[in-house]
Amino acid sequence: MSPRQRVGVHRSSSTSRWPRWAILLAALALAIVLAAVGLFALDMLRPRAPEPSPTQAPETISDPSAIDPSLDASITVLDTSGEDGFAAGVGQALADAGWQVVATAGSSEPSETTIVWFDSEELAPVARGLAEQLGAGQALLSDGRLSGTPITIVLGPDALGTAPSTAPRDDGELTHSPTPEAP
């Protein structure tokens, strides 16, 4: 063999290859990045619920003159607070403000909170307006008529000091009944 002829290939002493651990580390990093991108893409494709629109406050009628005249919105006021004459005073204040209060009385049924009961959905705005004017309690739909009127206000102790009240008079159509005795 001549000195110019090459018999074998000699490897160079410098390494240009990456070490195996570096290749594995790069592959792991690439897998993590691809998984994150895939999850982000899936999240972007997921159907979204529409943004909730701001809900309107339920209609409230706080001015008795705004009530439809064909609607029977007569009111009975009952008191469970135990305060003498409280139902009569609140009923008189509501009647003086223009509400159609028919009767007031005490109640032997205990109640800790004030509730404005109404017996049909069309009276809901009126009942909410009454509860707002009383400054206590809430308006709730009843299963049936609780008194001789479609709206019955049951005053609880929470109405003391917040509900408008005035000295009852016997000069109108408003009937003030005494508080019934508990059995």
Side-chain angles (χ1 to χ4, degrees):
M1 246 199 230
S2 74
R4 290 186 178 200
Q5 220 178 12
R6 256 177 103 166
V7 174
V9 178
H10 296 282
R11 295 187 182 179
S12 84
S13 60
S14 67
T15 27
S16 61
R17 289 183 29 185
W18 287 26
R20 284 187 182 183
W21 65 266
I23 294 171
L24 289 174
L25 187 62
L28 179 63
L30 182 62
I32 290 173
V33 168
L34 289 175
V37 169
L39 288 174
F40 179 75
L42 283 175
D43 186 52
M44 295 304 289
L45 294 174
R46 181 180 56 174
R48 305 253 185 227
E51 291 293 321
S53 61
T55 58
Q56 290 183 336
E59 181 184 3
T60 301
I61 297 177
S62 51
D63 179 11
S65 65
I67 298 172
D68 181 2
S70 67
L71 185 65
D72 180 12
S74 56
I75 303 165
T76 298
V77 180
L78 302 176
D79 176 30
T80 65
S81 72
E83 185 77 22
D84 275 347
F86 186 53
V90 170
Q92 190 66 59
L94 292 173
D96 291 347
W99 296 97
Q100 186 185 352
V101 179
V102 175
T104 66
S107 175
S108 60
E109 295 292 320
S111 176
E112 292 299 315
T113 60
T114 299
I115 300 174
V116 180
W117 293 100
F118 56 97
D119 64 6
S120 69
E121 280 297 328
E122 58 196 11
L123 291 170
V126 176
R128 284 191 290 269
L130 284 163
E132 189 176 276
Q133 189 163 3
L134 293 172
Q138 60 182 333
L140 297 175
L141 180 63
S142 66
D143 290 338
R145 199 160 273 195
L146 300 177
S147 64
T149 59
I151 299 174
T152 303
I153 300 173
V154 179
L155 298 169
D158 61 333
L160 291 171
T162 63
S165 183
T166 187
R169 299 185 309 274
D170 286 326
D171 61 349
E173 306 239 346
L174 181 56
T175 304
H176 303 292
S177 300
T179 303
E181 295 297 319

